[in-house]
PDB file of all heavy atoms in Angstrom:
ATOM      1  N   GLY A   1       4.894  -7.027  -2.510  1.00  0.00           N
ATOM      2  CA  GLY A   1       4.447  -6.250  -1.378  1.00  0.00           C
ATOM      3  C   GLY A   1       4.266  -7.070  -0.127  1.00  0.00           C
ATOM      4  O   GLY A   1       3.306  -6.868   0.618  1.00  0.00           O
ATOM      5  N   ARG A   2       5.162  -8.005   0.125  1.00  0.00           N
ATOM      6  CA  ARG A   2       4.991  -8.883   1.288  1.00  0.00           C
ATOM      7  C   ARG A   2       5.022  -8.100   2.596  1.00  0.00           C
ATOM      8  O   ARG A   2       4.426  -8.557   3.605  1.00  0.00           O
ATOM      9  CB  ARG A   2       6.107  -9.955   1.311  1.00  0.00           C
ATOM     10  CG  ARG A   2       6.009 -10.942   0.164  1.00  0.00           C
ATOM     11  CD  ARG A   2       6.950 -12.110   0.378  1.00  0.00           C
ATOM     12  NE  ARG A   2       6.850 -13.092  -0.716  1.00  0.00           N
ATOM     13  CZ  ARG A   2       7.391 -14.289  -0.685  1.00  0.00           C
ATOM     14  NH1 ARG A   2       8.077 -14.670   0.387  1.00  0.00           N
ATOM     15  NH2 ARG A   2       7.248 -15.106  -1.702  1.00  0.00           N
ATOM     16  N   GLU A   3       5.683  -6.950   2.600  1.00  0.00           N
ATOM     17  CA  GLU A   3       5.761  -6.160   3.828  1.00  0.00           C
ATOM     18  C   GLU A   3       4.391  -5.591   4.208  1.00  0.00           C
ATOM     19  O   GLU A   3       4.162  -5.174   5.358  1.00  0.00           O
ATOM     20  CB  GLU A   3       6.755  -5.022   3.689  1.00  0.00           C
ATOM     21  CG  GLU A   3       6.332  -3.869   2.780  1.00  0.00           C
ATOM     22  CD  GLU A   3       6.454  -4.172   1.283  1.00  0.00           C
ATOM     23  OE1 GLU A   3       6.901  -5.281   0.933  1.00  0.00           O
ATOM     24  OE2 GLU A   3       6.077  -3.298   0.491  1.00  0.00           O
ATOM     25  N   ARG A   4       3.441  -5.590   3.290  1.00  0.00           N
ATOM     26  CA  ARG A   4       2.096  -5.079   3.557  1.00  0.00           C
ATOM     27  C   ARG A   4       1.140  -6.177   3.994  1.00  0.00           C
ATOM     28  O   ARG A   4       0.004  -5.890   4.399  1.00  0.00           O
ATOM     29  CB  ARG A   4       1.534  -4.384   2.313  1.00  0.00           C
ATOM     30  CG  ARG A   4       2.289  -3.135   1.904  1.00  0.00           C
ATOM     31  CD  ARG A   4       1.760  -2.545   0.623  1.00  0.00           C
ATOM     32  NE  ARG A   4       2.537  -1.372   0.220  1.00  0.00           N
ATOM     33  CZ  ARG A   4       2.498  -0.804  -0.962  1.00  0.00           C
ATOM     34  NH1 ARG A   4       1.676  -1.303  -1.895  1.00  0.00           N
ATOM     35  NH2 ARG A   4       3.222   0.262  -1.248  1.00  0.00           N
ATOM     36  N   ALA A   5       1.569  -7.405   3.921  1.00  0.00           N
ATOM     37  CA  ALA A   5       0.693  -8.520   4.286  1.00  0.00           C
ATOM     38  C   ALA A   5       0.618  -8.686   5.801  1.00  0.00           C
ATOM     39  O   ALA A   5       1.600  -8.399   6.521  1.00  0.00           O
ATOM     40  CB  ALA A   5       1.196  -9.815   3.648  1.00  0.00           C
ATOM     41  N   SER A   6      -0.530  -9.109   6.268  1.00  0.00           N
ATOM     42  CA  SER A   6      -0.710  -9.348   7.691  1.00  0.00           C
ATOM     43  C   SER A   6      -1.621 -10.564   7.860  1.00  0.00           C
ATOM     44  O   SER A   6      -2.531 -10.791   7.056  1.00  0.00           O
ATOM     45  CB  SER A   6      -1.344  -8.138   8.374  1.00  0.00           C
ATOM     46  OG  SER A   6      -1.691  -8.435   9.720  1.00  0.00           O
ATOM     47  N   TYR A   7      -1.389 -11.307   8.925  1.00  0.00           N
ATOM     48  CA  TYR A   7      -2.225 -12.467   9.235  1.00  0.00           C
ATOM     49  C   TYR A   7      -2.893 -12.282  10.603  1.00  0.00           C
ATOM     50  O   TYR A   7      -3.409 -13.234  11.188  1.00  0.00           O
ATOM     51  CB  TYR A   7      -1.373 -13.736   9.210  1.00  0.00           C
ATOM     52  CG  TYR A   7      -0.654 -13.863   7.862  1.00  0.00           C
ATOM     53  CD1 TYR A   7       0.625 -13.328   7.677  1.00  0.00           C
ATOM     54  CD2 TYR A   7      -1.304 -14.410   6.774  1.00  0.00           C
ATOM     55  CE1 TYR A   7       1.247 -13.369   6.444  1.00  0.00           C
ATOM     56  CE2 TYR A   7      -0.695 -14.457   5.531  1.00  0.00           C
ATOM     57  CZ  TYR A   7       0.580 -13.956   5.371  1.00  0.00           C
ATOM     58  OH  TYR A   7       1.173 -13.977   4.145  1.00  0.00           O
ATOM     59  N   ASP A   8      -2.886 -11.039  11.069  1.00  0.00           N
ATOM     60  CA  ASP A   8      -3.471 -10.712  12.358  1.00  0.00           C
ATOM     61  C   ASP A   8      -4.992 -10.930  12.324  1.00  0.00           C
ATOM     62  O   ASP A   8      -5.686 -10.363  11.497  1.00  0.00           O
ATOM     63  CB  ASP A   8      -3.148  -9.268  12.715  1.00  0.00           C
ATOM     64  CG  ASP A   8      -3.725  -8.874  14.068  1.00  0.00           C
ATOM     65  OD1 ASP A   8      -3.150  -9.253  15.075  1.00  0.00           O
ATOM     66  OD2 ASP A   8      -4.790  -8.214  14.088  1.00  0.00           O
ATOM     67  N   ARG A   9      -5.455 -11.746  13.240  1.00  0.00           N
ATOM     68  CA  ARG A   9      -6.874 -12.118  13.234  1.00  0.00           C
ATOM     69  C   ARG A   9      -7.798 -10.918  13.472  1.00  0.00           C
ATOM     70  O   ARG A   9      -8.813 -10.742  12.810  1.00  0.00           O
ATOM     71  CB  ARG A   9      -7.121 -13.205  14.284  1.00  0.00           C
ATOM     72  CG  ARG A   9      -8.444 -13.942  14.155  1.00  0.00           C
ATOM     73  CD  ARG A   9      -8.527 -15.047  15.180  1.00  0.00           C
ATOM     74  NE  ARG A   9      -7.433 -15.996  15.034  1.00  0.00           N
ATOM     75  CZ  ARG A   9      -7.500 -17.100  14.285  1.00  0.00           C
ATOM     76  NH1 ARG A   9      -8.619 -17.362  13.621  1.00  0.00           N
ATOM     77  NH2 ARG A   9      -6.489 -17.906  14.196  1.00  0.00           N
ATOM     78  N   GLU A  10      -7.402 -10.041  14.391  1.00  0.00           N
ATOM     79  CA  GLU A  10      -8.236  -8.887  14.703  1.00  0.00           C
ATOM     80  C   GLU A  10      -8.305  -7.939  13.517  1.00  0.00           C
ATOM     81  O   GLU A  10      -9.389  -7.396  13.208  1.00  0.00           O
ATOM     82  CB  GLU A  10      -7.665  -8.160  15.934  1.00  0.00           C
ATOM     83  CG  GLU A  10      -8.526  -6.995  16.373  1.00  0.00           C
ATOM     84  CD  GLU A  10      -8.012  -6.379  17.667  1.00  0.00           C
ATOM     85  OE1 GLU A  10      -7.119  -6.972  18.328  1.00  0.00           O
ATOM     86  OE2 GLU A  10      -8.496  -5.287  18.029  1.00  0.00           O
ATOM     87  N   LEU A  11      -7.206  -7.751  12.820  1.00  0.00           N
ATOM     88  CA  LEU A  11      -7.228  -6.897  11.612  1.00  0.00           C
ATOM     89  C   LEU A  11      -8.102  -7.509  10.536  1.00  0.00           C
ATOM     90  O   LEU A  11      -8.922  -6.800   9.907  1.00  0.00           O
ATOM     91  CB  LEU A  11      -5.801  -6.729  11.085  1.00  0.00           C
ATOM     92  CG  LEU A  11      -5.673  -6.024   9.718  1.00  0.00           C
ATOM     93  CD1 LEU A  11      -6.209  -4.595   9.808  1.00  0.00           C
ATOM     94  CD2 LEU A  11      -4.220  -6.033   9.243  1.00  0.00           C
ATOM     95  N   VAL A  12      -7.969  -8.799  10.305  1.00  0.00           N
ATOM     96  CA  VAL A  12      -8.806  -9.474   9.279  1.00  0.00           C
ATOM     97  C   VAL A  12     -10.272  -9.283   9.590  1.00  0.00           C
ATOM     98  O   VAL A  12     -11.071  -8.906   8.745  1.00  0.00           O
ATOM     99  CB  VAL A  12      -8.453 -10.956   9.198  1.00  0.00           C
ATOM    100  CG1 VAL A  12      -9.493 -11.724   8.404  1.00  0.00           C
ATOM    101  CG2 VAL A  12      -7.078 -11.155   8.562  1.00  0.00           C
ATOM    102  N   HIS A  13     -10.653  -9.519  10.844  1.00  0.00           N
ATOM    103  CA  HIS A  13     -12.043  -9.384  11.228  1.00  0.00           C
ATOM    104  C   HIS A  13     -12.537  -7.941  11.034  1.00  0.00           C
ATOM    105  O   HIS A  13     -13.676  -7.721  10.579  1.00  0.00           O
ATOM    106  CB  HIS A  13     -12.232  -9.796  12.679  1.00  0.00           C
ATOM    107  CG  HIS A  13     -12.107 -11.260  12.913  1.00  0.00           C
ATOM    108  ND1 HIS A  13     -12.284 -11.841  14.156  1.00  0.00           N
ATOM    109  CD2 HIS A  13     -11.848 -12.280  12.066  1.00  0.00           C
ATOM    110  CE1 HIS A  13     -12.121 -13.160  14.062  1.00  0.00           C
ATOM    111  NE2 HIS A  13     -11.851 -13.437  12.800  1.00  0.00           N
ATOM    112  N   SER A  14     -11.705  -6.979  11.382  1.00  0.00           N
ATOM    113  CA  SER A  14     -12.146  -5.562  11.248  1.00  0.00           C
ATOM    114  C   SER A  14     -12.384  -5.182   9.793  1.00  0.00           C
ATOM    115  O   SER A  14     -13.327  -4.457   9.466  1.00  0.00           O
ATOM    116  CB  SER A  14     -11.101  -4.634  11.897  1.00  0.00           C
ATOM    117  OG  SER A  14      -9.893  -4.593  11.135  1.00  0.00           O
ATOM    118  N   VAL A  15     -11.521  -5.686   8.906  1.00  0.00           N
ATOM    119  CA  VAL A  15     -11.700  -5.372   7.469  1.00  0.00           C
ATOM    120  C   VAL A  15     -12.965  -6.047   6.967  1.00  0.00           C
ATOM    121  O   VAL A  15     -13.773  -5.442   6.214  1.00  0.00           O
ATOM    122  CB  VAL A  15     -10.491  -5.865   6.676  1.00  0.00           C
ATOM    123  CG1 VAL A  15     -10.726  -5.725   5.168  1.00  0.00           C
ATOM    124  CG2 VAL A  15      -9.231  -5.055   7.055  1.00  0.00           C
ATOM    125  N   LEU A  16     -13.198  -7.282   7.335  1.00  0.00           N
ATOM    126  CA  LEU A  16     -14.415  -7.985   6.900  1.00  0.00           C
ATOM    127  C   LEU A  16     -15.673  -7.310   7.458  1.00  0.00           C
ATOM    128  O   LEU A  16     -16.660  -7.099   6.714  1.00  0.00           O
ATOM    129  CB  LEU A  16     -14.382  -9.436   7.357  1.00  0.00           C
ATOM    130  CG  LEU A  16     -13.319 -10.329   6.694  1.00  0.00           C
ATOM    131  CD1 LEU A  16     -13.282 -11.670   7.408  1.00  0.00           C
ATOM    132  CD2 LEU A  16     -13.633 -10.534   5.210  1.00  0.00           C
ATOM    133  N   ASP A  17     -15.648  -6.929   8.710  1.00  0.00           N
ATOM    134  CA  ASP A  17     -16.865  -6.451   9.374  1.00  0.00           C
ATOM    135  C   ASP A  17     -17.275  -5.050   8.863  1.00  0.00           C
ATOM    136  O   ASP A  17     -18.414  -4.654   9.043  1.00  0.00           O
ATOM    137  CB  ASP A  17     -16.681  -6.406  10.871  1.00  0.00           C
ATOM    138  CG  ASP A  17     -16.567  -7.816  11.460  1.00  0.00           C
ATOM    139  OD1 ASP A  17     -16.824  -8.768  10.757  1.00  0.00           O
ATOM    140  OD2 ASP A  17     -16.218  -7.922  12.658  1.00  0.00           O
ATOM    141  N   GLU A  18     -16.349  -4.322   8.281  1.00  0.00           N
ATOM    142  CA  GLU A  18     -16.668  -2.984   7.778  1.00  0.00           C
ATOM    143  C   GLU A  18     -17.232  -3.019   6.370  1.00  0.00           C
ATOM    144  O   GLU A  18     -17.697  -1.992   5.840  1.00  0.00           O
ATOM    145  CB  GLU A  18     -15.392  -2.121   7.815  1.00  0.00           C
ATOM    146  CG  GLU A  18     -15.648  -0.633   7.664  1.00  0.00           C
ATOM    147  CD  GLU A  18     -14.378   0.163   7.789  1.00  0.00           C
ATOM    148  OE1 GLU A  18     -13.499  -0.213   8.595  1.00  0.00           O
ATOM    149  OE2 GLU A  18     -14.255   1.183   7.061  1.00  0.00           O
ATOM    150  N   ALA A  19     -17.255  -4.188   5.757  1.00  0.00           N
ATOM    151  CA  ALA A  19     -17.658  -4.287   4.341  1.00  0.00           C
ATOM    152  C   ALA A  19     -19.123  -4.656   4.203  1.00  0.00           C
ATOM    153  O   ALA A  19     -19.714  -5.311   5.060  1.00  0.00           O
ATOM    154  CB  ALA A  19     -16.796  -5.331   3.633  1.00  0.00           C
ATOM    155  N   TYR A  20     -19.721  -4.205   3.096  1.00  0.00           N
ATOM    156  CA  TYR A  20     -21.054  -4.615   2.721  1.00  0.00           C
ATOM    157  C   TYR A  20     -21.032  -5.795   1.734  1.00  0.00           C
ATOM    158  O   TYR A  20     -21.842  -6.697   1.812  1.00  0.00           O
ATOM    159  CB  TYR A  20     -21.791  -3.460   2.019  1.00  0.00           C
ATOM    160  CG  TYR A  20     -22.022  -2.225   2.831  1.00  0.00           C
ATOM    161  CD1 TYR A  20     -21.805  -0.962   2.279  1.00  0.00           C
ATOM    162  CD2 TYR A  20     -22.461  -2.302   4.147  1.00  0.00           C
ATOM    163  CE1 TYR A  20     -22.017   0.181   3.011  1.00  0.00           C
ATOM    164  CE2 TYR A  20     -22.672  -1.165   4.889  1.00  0.00           C
ATOM    165  CZ  TYR A  20     -22.455   0.090   4.329  1.00  0.00           C
ATOM    166  OH  TYR A  20     -22.665   1.224   5.061  1.00  0.00           O
ATOM    167  N   VAL A  21     -20.104  -5.715   0.790  1.00  0.00           N
ATOM    168  CA  VAL A  21     -20.090  -6.634  -0.340  1.00  0.00           C
ATOM    169  C   VAL A  21     -18.735  -7.339  -0.419  1.00  0.00           C
ATOM    170  O   VAL A  21     -17.687  -6.734  -0.142  1.00  0.00           O
ATOM    171  CB  VAL A  21     -20.331  -5.866  -1.649  1.00  0.00           C
ATOM    172  CG1 VAL A  21     -20.155  -6.761  -2.879  1.00  0.00           C
ATOM    173  CG2 VAL A  21     -21.733  -5.255  -1.648  1.00  0.00           C
ATOM    174  N   CYS A  22     -18.754  -8.609  -0.761  1.00  0.00           N
ATOM    175  CA  CYS A  22     -17.542  -9.340  -1.054  1.00  0.00           C
ATOM    176  C   CYS A  22     -17.590  -9.768  -2.530  1.00  0.00           C
ATOM    177  O   CYS A  22     -18.623  -9.672  -3.183  1.00  0.00           O
ATOM    178  CB  CYS A  22     -17.382 -10.568  -0.164  1.00  0.00           C
ATOM    179  SG  CYS A  22     -18.581 -11.890  -0.521  1.00  0.00           S
ATOM    180  N   HIS A  23     -16.445 -10.229  -3.031  1.00  0.00           N
ATOM    181  CA  HIS A  23     -16.408 -10.798  -4.386  1.00  0.00           C
ATOM    182  C   HIS A  23     -15.994 -12.258  -4.246  1.00  0.00           C
ATOM    183  O   HIS A  23     -14.981 -12.580  -3.627  1.00  0.00           O
ATOM    184  CB  HIS A  23     -15.426 -10.039  -5.273  1.00  0.00           C
ATOM    185  CG  HIS A  23     -15.980  -8.727  -5.718  1.00  0.00           C
ATOM    186  ND1 HIS A  23     -15.889  -7.580  -4.929  1.00  0.00           N
ATOM    187  CD2 HIS A  23     -16.609  -8.349  -6.856  1.00  0.00           C
ATOM    188  CE1 HIS A  23     -16.475  -6.585  -5.549  1.00  0.00           C
ATOM    189  NE2 HIS A  23     -16.897  -7.015  -6.728  1.00  0.00           N
ATOM    190  N   LEU A  24     -16.842 -13.128  -4.798  1.00  0.00           N
ATOM    191  CA  LEU A  24     -16.663 -14.573  -4.681  1.00  0.00           C
ATOM    192  C   LEU A  24     -16.174 -15.097  -6.015  1.00  0.00           C
ATOM    193  O   LEU A  24     -16.891 -15.025  -7.020  1.00  0.00           O
ATOM    194  CB  LEU A  24     -17.977 -15.228  -4.283  1.00  0.00           C
ATOM    195  CG  LEU A  24     -17.931 -16.737  -3.987  1.00  0.00           C
ATOM    196  CD1 LEU A  24     -17.145 -17.010  -2.718  1.00  0.00           C
ATOM    197  CD2 LEU A  24     -19.346 -17.289  -3.880  1.00  0.00           C
ATOM    198  N   GLY A  25     -14.964 -15.662  -6.026  1.00  0.00           N
ATOM    199  CA  GLY A  25     -14.401 -16.213  -7.245  1.00  0.00           C
ATOM    200  C   GLY A  25     -14.382 -17.721  -7.216  1.00  0.00           C
ATOM    201  O   GLY A  25     -14.125 -18.343  -6.192  1.00  0.00           O
ATOM    202  N   PHE A  26     -14.648 -18.332  -8.404  1.00  0.00           N
ATOM    203  CA  PHE A  26     -14.622 -19.775  -8.519  1.00  0.00           C
ATOM    204  C   PHE A  26     -14.442 -20.092 -10.005  1.00  0.00           C
ATOM    205  O   PHE A  26     -14.408 -19.183 -10.858  1.00  0.00           O
ATOM    206  CB  PHE A  26     -15.905 -20.412  -8.001  1.00  0.00           C
ATOM    207  CG  PHE A  26     -17.165 -19.867  -8.617  1.00  0.00           C
ATOM    208  CD1 PHE A  26     -17.771 -20.489  -9.704  1.00  0.00           C
ATOM    209  CD2 PHE A  26     -17.752 -18.713  -8.127  1.00  0.00           C
ATOM    210  CE1 PHE A  26     -18.905 -19.970 -10.289  1.00  0.00           C
ATOM    211  CE2 PHE A  26     -18.903 -18.197  -8.712  1.00  0.00           C
ATOM    212  CZ  PHE A  26     -19.480 -18.823  -9.804  1.00  0.00           C
ATOM    213  N   VAL A  27     -14.256 -21.359 -10.326  1.00  0.00           N
ATOM    214  CA  VAL A  27     -14.062 -21.782 -11.697  1.00  0.00           C
ATOM    215  C   VAL A  27     -15.333 -22.475 -12.172  1.00  0.00           C
ATOM    216  O   VAL A  27     -15.824 -23.390 -11.515  1.00  0.00           O
ATOM    217  CB  VAL A  27     -12.850 -22.721 -11.853  1.00  0.00           C
ATOM    218  CG1 VAL A  27     -12.752 -23.253 -13.275  1.00  0.00           C
ATOM    219  CG2 VAL A  27     -11.572 -21.980 -11.472  1.00  0.00           C
ATOM    220  N   ARG A  28     -15.838 -22.060 -13.344  1.00  0.00           N
ATOM    221  CA  ARG A  28     -17.021 -22.644 -13.922  1.00  0.00           C
ATOM    222  C   ARG A  28     -16.735 -23.020 -15.364  1.00  0.00           C
ATOM    223  O   ARG A  28     -16.327 -22.169 -16.167  1.00  0.00           O
ATOM    224  CB  ARG A  28     -18.209 -21.662 -13.868  1.00  0.00           C
ATOM    225  CG  ARG A  28     -19.516 -22.247 -14.403  1.00  0.00           C
ATOM    226  CD  ARG A  28     -20.688 -21.278 -14.204  1.00  0.00           C
ATOM    227  NE  ARG A  28     -20.515 -20.090 -15.036  1.00  0.00           N
ATOM    228  CZ  ARG A  28     -21.237 -18.983 -14.861  1.00  0.00           C
ATOM    229  NH1 ARG A  28     -22.098 -18.905 -13.862  1.00  0.00           N
ATOM    230  NH2 ARG A  28     -21.062 -17.963 -15.667  1.00  0.00           N
ATOM    231  N   ASP A  29     -16.917 -24.281 -15.698  1.00  0.00           N
ATOM    232  CA  ASP A  29     -16.652 -24.767 -17.034  1.00  0.00           C
ATOM    233  C   ASP A  29     -15.255 -24.426 -17.509  1.00  0.00           C
ATOM    234  O   ASP A  29     -15.021 -24.052 -18.653  1.00  0.00           O
ATOM    235  CB  ASP A  29     -17.693 -24.218 -18.029  1.00  0.00           C
ATOM    236  CG  ASP A  29     -19.109 -24.658 -17.703  1.00  0.00           C
ATOM    237  OD1 ASP A  29     -19.270 -25.745 -17.105  1.00  0.00           O
ATOM    238  OD2 ASP A  29     -20.051 -23.918 -18.025  1.00  0.00           O
ATOM    239  N   GLY A  30     -14.304 -24.490 -16.590  1.00  0.00           N
ATOM    240  CA  GLY A  30     -12.908 -24.230 -16.911  1.00  0.00           C
ATOM    241  C   GLY A  30     -12.499 -22.783 -16.994  1.00  0.00           C
ATOM    242  O   GLY A  30     -11.365 -22.485 -17.296  1.00  0.00           O
ATOM    243  N   ALA A  31     -13.418 -21.849 -16.698  1.00  0.00           N
ATOM    244  CA  ALA A  31     -13.125 -20.426 -16.782  1.00  0.00           C
ATOM    245  C   ALA A  31     -13.409 -19.754 -15.446  1.00  0.00           C
ATOM    246  O   ALA A  31     -14.330 -20.144 -14.725  1.00  0.00           O
ATOM    247  CB  ALA A  31     -13.947 -19.763 -17.877  1.00  0.00           C
ATOM    248  N   PRO A  32     -12.606 -18.747 -15.091  1.00  0.00           N
ATOM    249  CA  PRO A  32     -12.839 -18.056 -13.821  1.00  0.00           C
ATOM    250  C   PRO A  32     -14.089 -17.187 -13.862  1.00  0.00           C
ATOM    251  O   PRO A  32     -14.412 -16.576 -14.871  1.00  0.00           O
ATOM    252  CB  PRO A  32     -11.574 -17.197 -13.638  1.00  0.00           C
ATOM    253  CG  PRO A  32     -11.098 -16.976 -15.050  1.00  0.00           C
ATOM    254  CD  PRO A  32     -11.420 -18.229 -15.804  1.00  0.00           C
ATOM    255  N   VAL A  33     -14.790 -17.157 -12.713  1.00  0.00           N
ATOM    256  CA  VAL A  33     -15.968 -16.308 -12.564  1.00  0.00           C
ATOM    257  C   VAL A  33     -15.854 -15.616 -11.229  1.00  0.00           C
ATOM    258  O   VAL A  33     -15.454 -16.217 -10.227  1.00  0.00           O
ATOM    259  CB  VAL A  33     -17.281 -17.148 -12.593  1.00  0.00           C
ATOM    260  CG1 VAL A  33     -18.498 -16.263 -12.364  1.00  0.00           C
ATOM    261  CG2 VAL A  33     -17.409 -17.887 -13.903  1.00  0.00           C
ATOM    262  N   VAL A  34     -16.187 -14.320 -11.193  1.00  0.00           N
ATOM    263  CA  VAL A  34     -16.176 -13.553  -9.946  1.00  0.00           C
ATOM    264  C   VAL A  34     -17.516 -12.845  -9.810  1.00  0.00           C
ATOM    265  O   VAL A  34     -17.948 -12.120 -10.698  1.00  0.00           O
ATOM    266  CB  VAL A  34     -15.023 -12.528  -9.925  1.00  0.00           C
ATOM    267  CG1 VAL A  34     -15.087 -11.731  -8.630  1.00  0.00           C
ATOM    268  CG2 VAL A  34     -13.666 -13.200 -10.093  1.00  0.00           C
ATOM    269  N   LEU A  35     -18.208 -13.093  -8.684  1.00  0.00           N
ATOM    270  CA  LEU A  35     -19.518 -12.515  -8.458  1.00  0.00           C
ATOM    271  C   LEU A  35     -19.515 -11.643  -7.198  1.00  0.00           C
ATOM    272  O   LEU A  35     -19.014 -12.076  -6.155  1.00  0.00           O
ATOM    273  CB  LEU A  35     -20.548 -13.622  -8.269  1.00  0.00           C
ATOM    274  CG  LEU A  35     -20.778 -14.600  -9.440  1.00  0.00           C
ATOM    275  CD1 LEU A  35     -21.785 -15.654  -9.045  1.00  0.00           C
ATOM    276  CD2 LEU A  35     -21.250 -13.840 -10.664  1.00  0.00           C
ATOM    277  N   PRO A  36     -20.059 -10.424  -7.291  1.00  0.00           N
ATOM    278  CA  PRO A  36     -20.254  -9.625  -6.081  1.00  0.00           C
ATOM    279  C   PRO A  36     -21.474 -10.135  -5.328  1.00  0.00           C
ATOM    280  O   PRO A  36     -22.503 -10.462  -5.938  1.00  0.00           O
ATOM    281  CB  PRO A  36     -20.478  -8.225  -6.637  1.00  0.00           C
ATOM    282  CG  PRO A  36     -21.093  -8.449  -7.986  1.00  0.00           C
ATOM    283  CD  PRO A  36     -20.496  -9.728  -8.504  1.00  0.00           C
ATOM    284  N   THR A  37     -21.386 -10.197  -4.004  1.00  0.00           N
ATOM    285  CA  THR A  37     -22.518 -10.692  -3.249  1.00  0.00           C
ATOM    286  C   THR A  37     -22.416 -10.185  -1.813  1.00  0.00           C
ATOM    287  O   THR A  37     -21.350  -9.814  -1.336  1.00  0.00           O
ATOM    288  CB  THR A  37     -22.560 -12.241  -3.248  1.00  0.00           C
ATOM    289  OG1 THR A  37     -23.723 -12.686  -2.549  1.00  0.00           O
ATOM    290  CG2 THR A  37     -21.326 -12.822  -2.596  1.00  0.00           C
ATOM    291  N   LEU A  38     -23.552 -10.170  -1.141  1.00  0.00           N
ATOM    292  CA  LEU A  38     -23.569  -9.837   0.277  1.00  0.00           C
ATOM    293  C   LEU A  38     -23.045 -11.016   1.084  1.00  0.00           C
ATOM    294  O   LEU A  38     -23.079 -12.169   0.643  1.00  0.00           O
ATOM    295  CB  LEU A  38     -25.006  -9.511   0.732  1.00  0.00           C
ATOM    296  CG  LEU A  38     -25.690  -8.309   0.058  1.00  0.00           C
ATOM    297  CD1 LEU A  38     -27.133  -8.197   0.552  1.00  0.00           C
ATOM    298  CD2 LEU A  38     -24.921  -7.048   0.349  1.00  0.00           C
ATOM    299  N   PHE A  39     -22.561 -10.740   2.275  1.00  0.00           N
ATOM    300  CA  PHE A  39     -22.021 -11.786   3.134  1.00  0.00           C
ATOM    301  C   PHE A  39     -22.182 -11.392   4.591  1.00  0.00           C
ATOM    302  O   PHE A  39     -22.507 -10.251   4.910  1.00  0.00           O
ATOM    303  CB  PHE A  39     -20.526 -12.055   2.795  1.00  0.00           C
ATOM    304  CG  PHE A  39     -19.621 -11.021   3.355  1.00  0.00           C
ATOM    305  CD1 PHE A  39     -18.857 -11.258   4.498  1.00  0.00           C
ATOM    306  CD2 PHE A  39     -19.479  -9.787   2.731  1.00  0.00           C
ATOM    307  CE1 PHE A  39     -18.006 -10.285   5.002  1.00  0.00           C
ATOM    308  CE2 PHE A  39     -18.638  -8.810   3.220  1.00  0.00           C
ATOM    309  CZ  PHE A  39     -17.887  -9.068   4.374  1.00  0.00           C
ATOM    310  N   GLY A  40     -21.921 -12.328   5.475  1.00  0.00           N
ATOM    311  CA  GLY A  40     -21.917 -12.072   6.887  1.00  0.00           C
ATOM    312  C   GLY A  40     -20.860 -12.910   7.563  1.00  0.00           C
ATOM    313  O   GLY A  40     -20.522 -13.989   7.079  1.00  0.00           O
TER     314      GLY A  40
END
């Protein structure tokens, strides 16, 4: 779906600013972990 991708800064900001919650992914002890959390 590369045709749906965008790197437009204004679009990125608008999507972020409309959200309450993000999902933060990282690796812990060799396994993936994803946590929902508030952000700004």
Side-chain angles (χ1 to χ4, degrees):
R2 292 191 180 192
E3 72 283 358
R4 296 176 182 166
S6 173
Y7 305 92
D8 180 78
R9 195 175 301 269
E10 184 175 348
L11 172 62
V12 167
H13 289 181
S14 70
V15 172
L16 292 171
D17 292 350
E18 195 176 324
Y20 297 137
V21 173
C22 70
H23 285 83
L24 185 69
F26 55 95
V27 174
R28 183 175 67 193
D29 298 331
V33 178
V34 179
L35 299 177
T37 183
L38 298 176
F39 76 103

